[in-house]
Amino acid sequence: MEEKTLAIIKPDAIKKKAIGKIIQRIEDEGFKISGLKMLHLSKEEAKGFYIIHKDKHFYESLTDFMSSGEIVIMVLERENVISHWRKVMGVTDPALAEPGTLRHIFGFSIERNAIHGSDGPDTAEWEIDYFYKEKT
Ligand code: UDP
Ligand code: MG
């Protein structure tokens, strides 16, 4: 059963000073924040996180962007956490995201779209482990 998801506030939203507004929305939507930290990923760490997209045309540019500044990662919990977070976040392209969604409000482009959310229970578990599991 899905109980957790990984959310990221991406470097574009941090530069816009939107951390506070995004966290307020998270709490207003009934999510519990059970983990939170600010990181500045290396290019290699960004490439590892997005390894699933390694053959996509946007992989190099995306991982440059994701390692370009600080990010805030959060573990969220709630009923239907994965689908509800993706609904609050909006679709990938901010130009197509519904008004009121975080990507519509804070996103700039299909790449610089302000927010990340896991897309299923298996990826949520993998993504949370990526940032929280002790590296041996
Ligand atoms: N992305 C991009 N160009 C594209 C599609 C996606 O730069 O044409 C970036 C964007 O930042 C997106 C991330 O790659 O959030 C991961 O893509 P995915 O298809 O998994 O979208 P998401 O699940 O984030 O909506
Ligand atoms: Mg995705």
Side-chain angles (χ1 to χ4, degrees), residues 6-130:
L6 185 85
I8 303 180
I9 306 176
K10 296 185 181 184
D12 58 322
I14 305 273
K15 289 195 180 90
K16 279 183 186 160
K17 298 192 172 6
I19 297 172
K21 294 189 188 84
I22 291 166
I23 290 180
Q24 186 65 60
R25 177 69 178 274
I26 287 170
E27 295 193 326
D28 289 347
E29 292 282 346
F31 295 99
K32 176 187 165 195
I33 301 170
S34 56
L36 183 155
K37 53 185 172 179
M38 181 173 260
L39 302 170
H40 189 154
L41 300 183
S42 67
K43 172 79 172 171
E44 286 312 307
E45 288 168 335
K47 286 174 82 169
F49 181 73
Y50 280 114
I51 194 76
I52 195 165
H53 293 306
K54 67 177 165 44
D55 297 324
K56 305 272 173 59
H57 67 91
F58 56 80
Y59 184 59
E60 275 305 316
S61 177
L62 170 64
T63 52
D64 279 345
F65 163 56
M66 288 300 289
S67 58
S68 70
E70 280 154 327
I71 62 171
V72 170
I73 67 162
M74 282 168 282
V75 178
L76 304 183
E77 297 182 33
R78 210 201 89 128
E79 196 186 349
N80 298 320
V81 65
I82 292 172
S83 59
H84 193 73
W85 179 238
R86 288 196 65 99
K87 190 175 163 196
V88 170
M89 174 169 96
V91 295
T92 311
D93 185 351
L96 302 177
E98 281 198 38
T101 61
L102 291 171
R103 282 171 163 172
H104 183 264
I105 297 168
F106 298 111
F108 170 73
S109 68
I110 194 164
E111 177 181 272
R112 293 168 192 242
N113 58 3
I115 308 287
H116 168 85
S118 311
D119 65 5
D122 294 348
T123 44
E125 196 181 335
W126 184 89
E127 290 178 358
I128 291 167
D129 274 1
Y130 190 79

